[in-house]
Amino acid sequence: MMDDWGGLAPEILTNIISRLTIQERWTGPMFVRKSWLAVCRDPFLWSTFDLEKCFESYPESTQWWSPEFERKIDSMIRSVVDWSDGGLTEIRVRHCSDHALSYAAERCPNLEALAVRSSPHVTDASMAKIAFRCRSLKELDISYCHEISHDTLVMIGRNCLNLTTLKRNLMDWSDSSRNIGSVIPTEYLDASPQDGDTEAEAIGKHMMNLERLEIQFSRLSAKGLALVCEGCPKLEYLDLFGCVHLSGRDIANNVSRLKRLKELKKPDVYVPRAGDVVTQTERYGHWRLYDERFDIQSMRI
């Protein structure tokens, strides 16, 4: 039986392997025989590299935040970049580093989608290379990447004019009780970016073609939201969940400028001030007090 499979024409074997998930491909046919390994490295199979479903299928693990795991993800990215022969257009991973992203930026100029959420060692340095060398970028997810600053947003906005989707969600810092028993290192949770308005200014000033924006738990104020709504008139989806410095009035006054907006997710979070006594059931009544016209979860226009 093995001889029968081994005699398959390369194009037929490539077609079969292309139907496997990345996880199946990586742990199966690559180890059968050398001829199969050669087929698995066909650039046709590596126009995209998406590990997000793999991450979503397992509970968050402390191992993911270890240097050893980061090196494994980096190694996989470098291998896929090589196998793609420069044709890689989509990378969706977590827990990678500057080393792998710089390698990808130098060799994959046609990259259109990049998601590197929860990557503590991805910084402005590698994102600068992405900005200058991957100008076809349309989608960027840098959520929970605390070493990335507003400088990256400026560089991406200036150079990647086709960008339509930005995800810059942050950790939930509003309720420490939610982080009890968390697998995320405490020092990383404490290092969440504070400059919400600075990032909002970069987005509003340099990303005028955005259609989808997620900035959960950003610390932007009404001023920052105004800059976003003024500078990004094409927005159709805006996620402000956890943005506790915004009132219902702030949101209503500013999103009225967004004529194409189809869905808005409101903060729906209340952070009590010192001396306040607030029960858990009261926590989510905050937005009804501000503005009863809006659905708590979202607004559709």
Side-chain angles (χ1 to χ4, degrees), residues 99-110:
H99 300 296
L101 278 194
S102 296
Y103 192 80
E106 292 167 358
R107 293 162 177 79
C108 301
N110 298 317

Side-chain angles (χ1 to χ4, degrees), residues 12 35 41-42 45 60 93 105 132 145 164 181 190 222 224 253 274 289 293-294 299:
I12 296 177
S35 60
R41 292 176 173 176
D42 190 315
L45 297 172
E60 184 91 15
V93 298
F132 289 113
C145 295
T164 58
D190 294 340
N253 289 342
L289 294 176
R293 293 177 301 158
F294 292 101
M299 180 185 75

Side-chain angles (χ1 to χ4, degrees), residues 10-218:
E11 59 270 21
I12 296 177
L13 189 56
T14 299
N15 183 277
I16 293 172
I17 294 176
S18 69
R19 301 170 191 272
L20 302 177
T21 65
I22 288 179
Q23 189 173 12
E24 292 169 340
R25 198 183 305 167
W26 207 280
T27 58
M30 284 188 179
F31 298 97
V32 174
R33 59 191 345 173
K34 289 184 178 179
S35 60
W36 285 37
L37 176 60
V39 171
C40 286
R41 292 176 173 176
D42 190 315
F44 170 78
L45 297 172
W46 300 107
S47 62
T48 65
F49 184 48
D50 187 352
L51 293 183
E52 191 56 32
K53 289 184 179 180
C54 298
F55 280 108
E56 290 178 347
S57 62
Y58 295 97
E60 184 91 15
S61 169
T62 53
Q63 181 185 0
W64 294 358
W65 296 85
S66 68
E68 294 77 17
F69 188 79
E70 181 179 87
R71 284 194 290 270
K72 289 180 180 179
I73 297 297
D74 278 359
S75 178
M76 292 178 75
I77 293 174
R78 291 172 67 94
S79 294
V80 170
V81 167
D82 289 340
W83 298 340
S84 74
D85 195 24
L88 195 61
T89 61
E90 181 178 324
I91 298 176
R92 299 183 191 277
V93 298
R94 302 184 192 180
H95 302 283
C96 63
S97 78
D98 273 350
H99 300 296
L101 278 194
S102 296
Y103 192 80
E106 292 167 358
R107 293 162 177 79
C108 301
N110 298 317
L111 197 64
E112 295 182 358
L114 176 64
V116 291
R117 54 181 295 188
S118 300
S119 294
H121 296 120
V122 169
T123 72
D124 291 334
S126 63
M127 293 308 301
K129 295 180 180 179
I130 292 290
F132 289 113
R133 300 182 182 182
C134 304
R135 295 175 182 260
S136 298
L137 200 66
K138 298 178 181 178
E139 178 182 345
L140 177 64
D141 186 351
I142 49 174
S143 299
Y144 323 125
C145 295
H146 294 175
E147 294 301 316
I148 291 178
S149 75
H150 69 280
D151 290 333
T152 283
L153 299 176
V154 172
M155 289 185 290
I156 291 290
R158 286 177 175 174
N159 294 281
C160 304
L161 302 182
N162 295 322
L163 192 74
T164 58
T165 298
L166 174 66
K167 299 179 182 180
R168 177 53 168 166
N169 300 312
L170 301 180
M171 301 286 184
D172 179 0
W173 54 270
S174 66
D175 186 355
S176 59
S177 65
R178 297 185 185 185
N179 296 321
I180 295 177
S182 173
V183 299
I184 303 172
T186 303
E187 61 273 16
Y188 194 68
L189 287 170
D190 294 340
S192 182
Q194 308 286 322
D195 52 348
D197 281 347
T198 305
E199 293 195 356
E201 181 180 7
I203 293 170
K205 188 174 181 179
H206 301 288
M207 298 183 176
M208 64 182 66
N209 290 319
L210 278 186
E211 297 175 3
R212 184 182 182 93
L213 175 62
E214 298 181 17
I215 47 174
Q216 293 184 9
F217 292 99
S218 169

